Amino acid sequence: MSKPIIEQELIQYITAKTQVDASQIIVILQHGQAFLSSAKANAKGEVEIDSDDLVDYVLSRPDVKLDELTVETILDLEMDYLMDKGLAGSWIVEEE
């Protein structure tokens, strides 16, 4: 399965669950990916991500027009989808 098809499926999956416009979902996912890409791996090679920090980062972007709960839901659904497909990375999500 190619990356664009997986991205399309992911966006469709999140849209169906949230009723949020696909263009807004794409913005959220792009900022989430930027945050994850800048994260540093620990000694075990794992990237530890605090979900609150991720949501705060995405919300701080000027082109994000959604509320905190919606952003958090989109990011959670992304992770659920990727885990269901066996595509989730090797990072640890920390919840407080």
Side-chain angles (χ1 to χ4, degrees):
M1 197 176 265
S2 69
K3 185 174 181 178
I5 291 173
I6 289 178
E7 288 173 358
Q8 290 173 346
E9 287 179 6
L10 172 60
I11 292 164
Q12 290 171 350
Y13 172 81
I14 295 171
T15 301
K17 299 272 186 186
T18 64
Q19 304 304 311
V20 172
D21 184 77
S23 64
Q24 283 294 304
I25 292 170
I26 291 167
V27 168
I28 301 305
L29 297 179
Q30 288 173 340
H31 289 308
Q33 185 58 49
F35 181 86
L36 295 172
S37 295
S38 68
K40 304 290 185 221
N42 64 19
K44 296 179 182 178
E46 298 171 329
V47 177
E48 296 183 24
I49 302 296
D50 182 295
S51 61
D52 291 334
D53 290 343
L54 174 57
V55 171
D56 289 345
Y57 173 83
V58 172
L59 287 170
S60 73
R61 306 294 91 192
D63 56 345
V64 173
K65 307 297 183 210
L66 301 173
D67 62 82
E68 181 176 356
L69 181 59
T70 304
V71 169
E72 187 172 341
T73 300
I74 290 169
L75 294 170
D76 287 346
L77 287 168
E78 176 191 26
M79 182 56 72
D80 292 347
Y81 177 86
L82 294 174
M83 289 178 68
D84 287 347
K85 296 288 184 181
L87 302 170
S90 60
W91 57 78
I92 299 169
V93 178
E94 295 181 356
E95 301 268 349
E96 289 185 6

